[in-house]
Amino acid sequence: MLSVPKSAKEPRPLRSLPRLAVLKIMPERLLAASAAPAQASRIAAGGAAAPAARAEHDRMANAIRALAMDAVEQANSGHPGLPMGAADIATVLFTRFLKFDPADPAWPDRDRFVLSAGHGSMLLYALLHLTGYEAMTIDEIKRFRQLGSLTPGHPEHGHTAGVETTTGPLGQGLANAVGMAIAERHLAAQFGGDVVDHFTYVLASDGDLMEGISQEAIALAGHLKLNKLIVLFDDNGISIDGPLSLADSVDQVKRFEAAGFAATRIDGHDPAAIAAALEAAKKSERPTMIACRTTIGFGAPTKAGKASSHGAALGADEIKGARENLGWTSPPFEIPTAIREAWRAAGARGKPVRAAWEQRLAALEPEKRAEFLRRVRGELSPKLAAAVRELKQKLSAAPKEIASRSASEFALEALTLALPEMVGGSADLTGSNNTRTKAMKAMSAADYSGRFIHYGVREHGMAAAMNGMALHGGIIPYSGTFLVFSDYCRPAIRLAALMGQRVIHVMTHDSIGLGEDGPTHQPVEHLAALRAIPNLKVFRPCDVVETVECWELALQSKDAPSVLALTRQNLPQLRQGFDEHNRCALGAYEIAAAEDDAAVVSLFASGSEVAIAVEAKRLLAAKKISARVVSVPCFELLAAAPAAKRAGIVGRTRVNVAVEAGIRQGWDAIIGSAGGFVGMSSFGASGPYKALYQHFGITPEKVVQAAVAALEKS
Ligand SMILES: Cc1ncc(C[n+]2csc(CCOP(=O)(O)OP(=O)(O)O)c2C)c(N)n1
């Protein structure tokens, strides 16, 4: 059999060579295989299903291998190595452990399976096909990687039923899984184990574990003792450049143990060992990592165990040899009936389990059940509108001159009461981000009902875990960090936008206005960089009323993430009086009209610079130049507004000038390339913020100068 170290202390053997001995005996084993016994008898609610005979297991795993190599060959592109190597792990997991029902891919209490190594997408597509996800037909497998197919190069959530999260950028899936496991524990604490009680499994590769985000994710998971998180590490010792030894010598078992995991090392081609490790993991009081030693491209005669099987079609000769090694005699894309039936039976295991869950849900107290379902569907409570109205009424009665980060806290005090699904947090900047309300308890291993997560200094892990929570459902995650550190969150924010997930990032200290911390902490290009991400809403409210309105819009944004860019410095309340309508809803609006009908200048600004524009308007009036001011809290909403409305908001004055304490990029879409711009074109500097605004020329006087100069040219 395979040489697998028994303990974490033993050195890893060289694994760059195919294990021909194993491959040679496989056909004999397969010859002895009998027809698959009906698996329906294995259905066992709660516990693991009974093991398949070894020969049957092999045939089922080989079905995955065959589909993977045939689909990649047909597409002449893709990654056969991982599916072929991890087929045994996946077969044991999906036939014996995973709680799922292909008839209802969105069943809220299903176990989550995350393929973090998204390049191995054919593993997932083969599993979805074999276990009976209706849409995943053999034709879709044949159309692997073709435009419009359900089988894109990397798994895309929302595109293919059964794909829990979009993976491909390594490390993200693992961190998403941590978020899913947090969501499970939190919702179980709120709604009880009768309706929320599932595991989160993640298959992670060497690449996943080399990415820095994996450290943030596993450290958080270990700290929170997420014992229902089970990481299956496809420990094949190969990445694109060749053997892992070229670039890495981490003992992953020790690393996970140090983070608070139970960790073990097994032979990833031994179904009994895989099952035993999963059994133990399910009972663990800590999260578990199972390092499954596998051979990449298992079965391929010359490419198994080598990087050459990682990411390219194997080629006709190699596939022929693999078929021989595996004893797989069926033509491409054909699965023998007995094997197909065995897989379908595995897919049917979940049906009675789901029926039992539905009964338990029905037995819940009606109000609790309705609340659970509302939250799972992602519907907002009518309490939100009432809370926003009340906040705006309070502000019209007693205006507040506060920083928009404090305005956000003021909003959150009411919004988090209205929406118990809001789970906040901060990457160790709680007191600066103002994201924790007075009533919020911290979430901890001892009490998962807490609604505030101390993420530690882990912005990337935080953003990816938030994606996992949103994907899980039942939670609207929001976070806190400095806007400048959006760079540290960006890959996860991009995926939230791609997946259309409602996560809300509170990002404070949004400009040189943060002052003394200096240029390392002062965002300059960040608003533009975030606005460049499709389907991300970047809000930059100008005062406390806009902050409340932007929070409402972010919460209503069911299919897109949001960033709230907020100030450290105080801002005057520009919006006086009570207006029931959300004036930010179209992304921009005229906040200060010209006194007459003869406006020749439109001043556009966001956030803290709106007050500067309003003052510039007053100075222009003194020069008998009529101007209007448009507040632009959200570019994306303005761009999405009906054309006529947008044109009305932007207006048609002779001159447009924009002012924002960031770079110009992006503003031309609103002010035109001939418009004037007052903002930043370099990094900031350390100093008191008022001195910085003077130094960088972001002042009402400079706005006036820009307007006058533009008028002279026009
Ligand atoms: C963040 C990120 N960087 C780089 C890549 C490109 N890439 C895809 S797979 C891979 C490494 C492959 O090694 P491993 O993760 O061990 O997968 P295996 O070879 O076992 O399939 C790389 C660098 C990526 N997908 N994501």
Side-chain angles (χ1 to χ4, degrees):
M1 261 321 276
L2 306 173
S3 121
V4 174
K6 297 285 179 300
S7 85
K9 292 197 179 74
E10 287 180 47
R12 55 169 53 206
L14 276 177
R15 284 170 292 125
S16 56
L17 295 172
R19 284 168 295 186
L20 293 172
V22 180
L23 299 178
K24 274 199 199 122
I25 62 161
M26 289 181 66
E28 284 162 40
R29 208 199 287 145
L30 285 160
L31 283 176
S34 57
Q39 291 217 350
S41 62
R42 295 196 199 128
I43 293 166
R54 178 67 203 243
E56 186 191 346
H57 164 91
D58 288 343
R59 284 154 59 88
M60 292 175 81
N62 287 340
I64 296 174
R65 295 186 173 107
L67 286 175
M69 58 186 179
D70 290 342
V72 172
E73 195 67 14
Q74 173 129 323
N76 195 22
S77 136
H79 302 77
L82 184 145
M84 295 175 79
D88 291 305
I89 306 166
T91 301
V92 173
L93 180 63
F94 273 68
T95 60
R96 299 193 51 200
F97 289 88
L98 196 75
K99 180 172 75 167
F100 70 110
D101 182 355
D104 184 1
W107 166 25
D109 200 37
R110 69 194 181 280
D111 285 343
R112 304 308 195 263
F113 172 71
V114 172
L115 179 64
S116 191
H119 60 275
S121 57
M122 261 315 300
L123 177 75
L124 186 50
Y125 300 149
L127 288 162
L128 298 179
H129 171 69
L130 292 167
T131 55
Y133 284 74
E134 204 181 351
M136 188 55 79
T137 60
I138 195 70
D139 284 338
E140 292 294 342
I141 302 281
K142 287 180 187 165
R143 297 206 305 131
F144 180 52
R145 291 188 154 230
Q146 303 310 304
L147 190 62
S149 74
L150 292 180
T151 48
H154 295 83
E156 293 178 31
H157 175 78
H159 181 79
T160 308
V163 173
E164 299 287 1
T165 178
T166 296
T167 51
L170 291 164
Q172 294 288 333
L174 176 60
N176 294 162
V178 171
M180 291 174 189
I182 291 173
E184 192 272 347
R185 288 292 73 204
H186 179 68
L187 292 171
Q190 293 203 332
F191 291 97
D194 273 354
V195 285
V196 186
D197 182 12
H198 70 78
F199 285 86
T200 301
Y201 297 94
V202 51
L203 188 82
S205 65
D206 295 305
D208 283 303
L209 299 192
M210 282 192 278
E211 289 291 350
I213 189 175
S214 70
Q215 184 57 29
E216 299 183 22
I218 69 171
L220 185 61
H223 175 72
L224 288 175
K225 297 194 170 58
L226 300 174
N227 66 323
K228 299 180 81 178
L229 174 70
I230 300 176
V231 179
L232 292 153
F233 166 32
D234 180 31
D235 181 13
N236 63 26
I238 291 289
S239 66
I240 292 180
D241 279 3
L244 205 65
S245 55
L246 288 172
D248 194 69
S249 47
V250 170
D251 183 328
Q252 296 292 357
V253 166
K254 282 189 186 154
R255 175 190 175 209
F256 274 77
E257 280 174 348
F261 277 61
T264 179
R265 187 170 272 138
I266 62 161
D267 171 2
H269 296 298
D270 176 352
I274 298 164
L278 285 170
E279 292 280 10
K282 287 181 73 171
K283 294 189 195 113
S284 172
E285 288 177 356
R286 291 178 286 164
T288 297
M289 188 280 264
I290 306 168
C292 308
R293 192 141 288 184
T294 61
T295 299
I296 190 169
F298 186 88
T302 71
K303 296 186 177 177
K306 293 188 188 149
S308 50
S309 72
H310 160 86
L314 293 178
D317 288 349
E318 189 76 6
I319 289 184
K320 187 165 170 283
R323 279 187 144 72
E324 279 165 26
N325 277 340
L326 299 171
W328 190 262
T329 51
S330 304
F333 301 109
E334 272 182 35
I335 308 292
T337 307
I339 299 177
R340 180 173 294 282
E341 279 172 5
W343 269 112
R344 284 296 158 95
R349 281 185 309 118
K351 199 178 178 67
V353 186
R354 178 163 68 92
W357 176 83
E358 270 161 8
Q359 279 178 3
R360 293 196 299 277
L361 178 68
L364 270 195
E365 196 253 310
E367 226 171 278
K368 198 173 181 184
R369 184 176 64 236
E371 175 66 0
F372 177 76
L373 291 173
R374 177 188 76 76
R375 288 181 56 171
V376 162
R377 289 190 198 114
E379 287 164 8
L380 294 172
S381 148
K383 287 181 187 161
L384 172 63
V388 168
R389 190 185 168 83
E390 199 176 312
L391 284 170
K392 286 166 75 171
Q393 275 166 340
K394 271 192 201 160
L395 291 170
S396 79
K400 283 178 181 292
E401 179 165 336
I402 51 176
S404 48
R405 62 175 172 153
S406 309
S408 170
E409 182 179 3
F410 168 76
L412 283 171
E413 289 290 355
L415 300 178
T416 53
L417 291 182
L419 298 178
E421 61 267 46
M422 290 176 73
V423 172
S426 171
D428 201 42
L429 289 168
T430 303
S432 301
N433 303 143
N434 303 41
T435 45
R436 183 171 178 174
T437 64
K438 287 182 202 79
M440 271 183 163
K441 266 190 310 182
M443 187 185 290
S444 70
D447 183 1
Y448 292 111
S449 72
R451 289 172 59 197
F452 189 83
I453 301 178
H454 289 283
Y455 285 100
V457 193
R458 301 185 184 108
E459 296 85 1
H460 198 182
M462 169 175 77
M466 289 164 70
N467 290 353
M469 283 181 236
L471 286 160
H472 181 279
I475 287 178
I476 301 178
Y478 73 90
S479 69
T481 186
F482 290 158
L483 183 61
V484 79
F485 302 135
S486 60
D487 287 340
Y488 278 49
C489 307
R490 190 174 177 88
I493 295 178
R494 182 175 191 272
L495 283 170
L498 178 60
M499 293 189 277
Q501 292 301 303
R502 176 168 46 193
V503 297
I504 303 173
H505 292 275
V506 173
M507 296 197 157
T508 66
H509 297 57
D510 71 347
S511 75
I512 53 165
L514 66 86
E516 292 81 352
D517 273 343
T520 56
H521 283 50
Q522 292 162 352
V524 171
E525 75 281 23
H526 297 76
L527 290 168
L530 289 167
R531 287 172 183 149
I533 299 179
N535 198 39
L536 172 67
K537 294 188 179 120
V538 182
F539 292 100
R540 190 162 186 255
C542 76
D543 73 353
V544 59
V545 178
E546 276 197 5
T547 306
V548 171
E549 291 184 343
C550 291
W551 254 114
E552 183 182 34
L553 293 167
L555 288 164
Q556 288 169 342
S557 172
K558 197 174 173 193
D559 300 322
S562 300
V563 167
L564 291 165
L566 305 173
T567 65
R568 172 176 187 248
Q569 74 272 30
N570 282 353
L571 303 175
Q573 182 175 323
L574 298 173
R575 288 272 299 280
Q576 304 282 337
F578 176 70
D579 186 345
E580 188 175 1
H581 299 293
N582 189 322
R583 297 193 73 189
C584 297
L586 290 177
Y589 63 96
E590 192 173 81
I591 193 167
E595 280 74 25
D596 49 31
D597 285 342
V600 287
V601 175
S602 292
L603 300 176
F604 297 86
S606 80
S608 39
E609 285 70 65
V610 177
I612 292 175
V614 169
E615 176 59 9
K617 171 183 168 354
R618 201 183 61 76
L619 297 180
L620 284 166
K623 290 180 182 288
K624 304 269 182 286
I625 298 173
S626 176
R628 58 194 280 269
V629 179
V630 179
S631 175
V632 192
C634 182
F635 277 32
E636 298 75 20
L637 287 176
L638 179 61
K645 295 239 186 218
R646 193 169 64 238
I649 294 165
V650 173
R652 293 171 125 260
T653 51
R654 264 172 63 200
V655 157
N656 289 336
V657 176
V659 49
E660 183 171 85
I663 60 167
R664 175 172 181 140
Q665 193 172 315
W667 275 101
D668 285 15
I670 297 170
I671 60 172
S673 54
F677 183 75
V678 174
M680 298 293 290
S681 53
S682 67
F683 292 116
S686 172
Y689 88 87
K690 287 187 178 160
L692 291 173
Y693 269 84
Q694 288 295 330
H695 177 75
F696 289 103
I698 304 177
T699 61
E701 293 74 20
K702 291 284 183 190
V703 175
V704 169
Q705 266 179 30
V708 170
L711 278 171
E712 279 166 5
K713 270 198 262 165
S714 71

